[in-house]
Amino acid sequence: MAQEDVFKKLVAHCKEYGFVFQSSEIYDGLAAVYDYGQYGVELKNNIKKYWWDSMVLLNDNVVGLDSAIFMHPTVWKASGHVDAFNDPLIDNKDSKKRYRADVLIEDLMAKFDAKMDKEVEKAAKRFGDSFDEAMFRETNPRVQENLKKKEEIHSRFVKALHDNDLAELKKIIEDYDVVCPISGTKNWTDVRQFNLMFSTEMGSTADGALKVFLRPETAQGIFVNFLNVQKTGRMKIPFGIAQIGKAFRNEIVARQFIFRMREFEQMEMQFFVAPGEELKWFEKWKEVRMKWHQSLGMGEHKYRFHDHDKLAHYANAATDIEFEMPFGFKEVEGIHSRTDFDLTQHQEYSGRKITYYDPEKGESYVPYVVETSIGVDRMFLSMLAGAYCEEEVEGKDGKKESRVVLKLPPVIAPVKLAVLPLVKKDGLPEMAKEIVNDLKFHFNCQYDEKDSIGKRYRRQDAIGTPFCITIDHQSLEDKTVTIRHRDTMKQERVSISELKGIISEKVSMTELFKNL
Ligand code: ATP
């Protein structure tokens, strides 16, 4: 199935099964704003818990924080967001559609990558086992030609970003005949900068209202509380502060479902270190964060690092962790070495001293910061994209049937088990409810007695429930039930007293934490 179709199906599935709804849908929706439904909220909460515990419980030098969304407006002056939190935008005059100029150029480069990969794929088929990919890439003229073009674009792009040269960005788009996917034309406006922050007013206008911003990142709430947490928590450097919360960006192009939203949620951790040690810690956190992603078992090949072409004004190293979405490898998390930029700026703008006295070094300094910043919603999308499968399976009477199954990691699955009486009589429902009443204190359980057992299994597959427990007449006699495993569909007979242990082993975060 084409990847585009997979994505469309995934979006439809999210709605049909109560994961994600368009915001204000009955009023035709609000662009790039979404609500999480009954299963979506469970999945999202589990992702947040897995992140929070792995940061705050597993590291004795990382503590949490929950700062407000509104902050003093000078925070955003100091952080550079008022003057420089911009994206370069370009409009197509025919379709009237708006694009990010940098994204159009990145997509253009990705096309050359795709062409090269296609050549490699064809050759690999032709040569079989004797295929040497590295040698082929170095010597094949078509691959070399595409590589040269991509590198040309890349070096022009990086220079244009560095020089803030908007005219050159437009020229690249024109020189390589980039067309608007809607109108198919090259009728572009000039590239302009667009500030992504939302603002509103605090207090009544009669009093002279204060213009405040909806935070575009949670990080600044951590920086302005650095001294509060360090002093009251008696924290010693190196240490980190973690926070989960909403962020808002008036994104220019917001067409990829929950990948790019105007209201979204971030999980950020700022790690404060001594000057000169930041790059060592940057490497360390890169490794830790990649391991965290891979621990969920989606497959190592689904992730890669992508170093930034242009470092933000505050950073001396930056990389993204990308996940293979149905629309290509895309950023899920950023890891940035932010130097002492933020704390120094806040020191200057607030007039307060923000330093740390290092007892080991016997001196005071403004700490350096390494940040790990992941979007909850993108993480959510990556898990669904990795988990969504359509399979042909053997149904009733040996006939082929198709099933849609979300092979979500059991630890984050919204519902852990469904308890299903085989029939709605003979005391089976009562026994099933007894099991639910016992296990619901430990796991998110569902009871379902409606429709045939096959249909009930499919419903649970579609929301990613790892275990279905079926109660039959034998259960009444010997207190055993069948447990069906979602991915293999294998069933085994176990005694009711074993259920808690079997399920715990597979769904408990503790087991995964041990490998982090
Ligand atoms: P992009 O280049 O895709 O716009 P970014 O580099 O601006 O992202 P950061 O500022 O590094 O993103 O934010 C950290 C994380 O927050 C991102 O890795 C992403 O997971 C998440 N994020 C950022 N913008 C959005 C958005 N509009 N919708 C959903 N998640 C977002």
Side-chain angles (χ1 to χ4, degrees), residues 100 249 251 259-261 264 266 331-332 373 375 378:
R100 263 174 65 178
R249 296 184 187 177
E251 296 282 0
F259 181 79
R260 193 172 295 287
M261 302 156 88
F264 58 101
Q266 290 185 314
E331 170 182 347
V332 172
S373 171
R378 284 195 193 173

Side-chain angles (χ1 to χ4, degrees), residues 85 87 100 102 196 216-217 249 251 258-266 268 308 314 320-321 331-334 336 371 373-379:
F85 193 53
D87 274 341
R100 263 174 65 178
D102 56 334
L196 301 180
E217 61 177 27
R249 296 184 187 177
E251 296 282 0
I258 55 170
F259 181 79
R260 193 172 295 287
M261 302 156 88
R262 296 203 165 102
E263 173 180 341
F264 58 101
E265 207 164 357
Q266 290 185 314
E268 296 199 297
H308 286 201
Y314 50 74
D320 294 335
I321 294 179
E331 170 182 347
V332 172
E333 170 157 8
H336 311 122
E371 156 184 272
S373 171
I374 166 169
V376 180
D377 314 87
R378 284 195 193 173
M379 179 67 195

Side-chain angles (χ1 to χ4, degrees), residues 263-307:
E263 173 180 341
F264 58 101
E265 207 164 357
Q266 290 185 314
M267 307 190 279
E268 296 199 297
M269 194 278 302
Q270 310 294 328
F271 199 72
F272 300 93
V273 304
E277 305 220 324
E278 70 278 10
L279 293 179
K280 183 185 87 186
W281 282 105
F282 173 73
E283 290 304 325
K284 171 88 186 141
W285 280 107
K286 261 176 80 171
E287 193 188 312
V288 170
R289 293 305 302 147
M290 185 56 106
K291 221 170 164 189
W292 182 87
H293 284 277
Q294 293 184 341
S295 68
L296 288 165
M298 285 288 164
E300 291 189 8
H301 63 286
K302 293 256 178 201
Y303 298 90
R304 70 179 190 196
F305 284 115
H306 175 253
D307 293 338

